[in-house]
Amino acid sequence: MGALGASHVASARLSRPVEKLAIQSEEHRTHRLEAEASLASTSAELQRSARFSADASHQLKSPVTVLRTGIDSLLAREDLPREVYDELSTLLHQTYRLTGVIDDLLLLSRMDAGALQINFAAVNLTPLVAEWLDDLSALPDELNLRIESEVPRGFEIAGERRYISLIVQNLLENACKYNRPGGRVRVSAFVDGPWALFRVGNTGRTIELASQEHIFERFHRGAVSENVPGHGLGLNLARELTLLHRGDLQLVRSADDWTEFEARFRLAGAAQITAASDV
């Protein structure tokens, strides 16, 4: 009887870790199922959001096109008062801004849905930057900005030209919009190991520390942008496209009358392009 009792006690002691392990295993299984359900719900929500953005953007394209056509027809008339023509020109400009927002939302919705793929090739950044600087110089410059460019000749990165162009455009326009009278914009590019770094800096009011962590969020417009035209998608779109190129876009500095952003890309070359495409 004593041996039987001792055996029972020993068996109970040995079974406790097994029972505990079984309980923990069941708890882990429950947590895993809850996490999977939450992930599936989040994924479905993101897909619904992407579809909504795409559908809404498509629906907006047609009425905006009709509106622009009607304004163009009115501007072609010669029997309207001068102030009417001025008002119509302002409205026409707003339709182009609205079209820009719609195009950005369509592109972002494609990225959210995972439908945008990059066809990697060698992109010469030097003429691309020069083209956008020429375009900016042709626009009215109320701030009288000085633009400096330090992009080496034949500076090639791995990516798709039209999307690289959009990144460059958004960064340059951002540097001009948030500048100050008599300020300057500096554009530079250099190599850092396997990376090509593209930087755009500008003088002007710095970004508050509390706002810096939100500047890449969609539709974010801090106090610094109260009187600056825009719709709060430029930096978000530029960063999403940079990430899609297996790179990154960061705010590297905003202090003492100077704000600077850095876009990181892979250098062009068969090895780099192949590696980036396979990731």
Side-chain angles (χ1 to χ4, degrees):
M1 290 294 291
L4 182 61
S7 175
H8 179 72
V9 171
S11 177
R13 288 179 178 176
L14 290 173
S15 66
R16 286 196 196 105
V18 177
E19 292 172 356
K20 184 177 180 181
L21 183 61
I23 294 172
Q24 290 177 341
S25 178
E26 183 61 26
E27 289 177 349
H28 291 161
R29 179 176 176 276
T30 302
H31 291 324
R32 178 173 58 81
L33 291 175
E34 291 175 350
E36 289 176 351
S38 177
L39 182 61
S41 175
T42 302
S43 178
E45 185 64 31
L46 287 173
Q47 291 179 2
R48 284 194 296 269
S49 178
R51 284 197 300 270
F52 173 79
S53 297
D55 293 343
S57 300
H58 278 297
Q59 292 297 324
L60 286 171
K61 269 186 170 293
S62 294
V64 171
T65 301
V66 172
L67 180 61
R68 183 181 301 160
T69 301
I71 295 175
D72 282 332
S73 298
L74 290 172
L75 284 171
R77 294 176 53 174
E78 299 180 356
D79 57 343
L80 298 176
R82 178 64 188 176
E83 58 271 18
V84 174
Y85 289 110
D86 293 339
E87 187 66 25
L88 288 172
S89 297
T90 301
L91 292 174
L92 184 63
H93 175 68
Q94 294 302 318
T95 66
Y96 280 102
R97 287 187 59 192
L98 185 55
T99 299
V101 176
I102 294 171
D103 290 340
D104 287 351
L105 285 173
L106 278 171
L107 187 56
L108 285 168
S109 66
R110 289 182 62 197
M111 285 190 283
D112 289 343
L116 187 65
Q117 301 296 324
I118 300 298
N119 296 317
F120 283 91
V123 178
N124 191 342
L125 193 64
T126 311
L128 196 60
V129 172
E131 290 170 11
W132 277 115
L133 290 180
D134 287 342
D135 288 347
L136 289 174
S137 64
L139 298 174
D141 183 10
E142 298 177 356
L143 297 178
N144 192 28
L145 301 176
R146 185 174 81 256
I147 298 180
E148 306 167 354
S149 180
E150 302 174 5
V151 180
R153 294 182 61 182
F155 194 86
E156 293 191 337
I157 60 177
E160 189 164 346
R161 192 180 193 279
R162 57 175 171 167
Y163 298 130
I164 297 293
S165 178
L166 195 52
I167 295 170
V168 172
Q169 174 192 357
N170 283 327
L171 290 177
L172 289 177
E173 288 181 347
N174 192 72
C176 292
K177 286 193 302 184
Y178 296 100
N179 221 307
R180 58 170 172 77
R184 65 189 179 98
V185 174
R186 186 179 67 204
V187 184
S188 60
F190 55 95
V191 175
D192 181 18
W195 297 99
L197 304 186
F198 175 64
R199 289 188 174 182
V200 178
N202 63 275
T203 51
R205 183 176 172 182
T206 55
I207 303 171
E208 296 179 1
L209 190 61
S211 297
Q212 290 185 14
E213 60 180 306
H214 302 292
I215 56 174
F216 292 109
E217 295 175 2
R218 294 177 191 179
F219 302 108
H220 174 74
R221 292 176 61 77
V224 70
S225 60
E226 289 175 353
N227 299 316
V228 179
H231 44 268
L233 285 175
L235 282 178
N236 176 265
L237 182 60
R239 189 178 203 187
E240 293 293 332
L241 285 172
T242 309
L243 291 172
L244 204 60
H245 280 79
R246 314 301 182 218
D248 196 12
L249 174 62
Q250 295 181 341
L251 172 67
V252 294
R253 178 187 173 189
S254 187
D256 302 325
D257 191 42
W258 189 255
T259 297
E260 190 165 66
F261 289 89
E262 178 186 274
R264 181 180 293 260
F265 302 98
R266 285 287 181 180
L267 283 170
Q272 287 86 351
I273 295 173
T274 301
S277 301
D278 293 339
V279 174

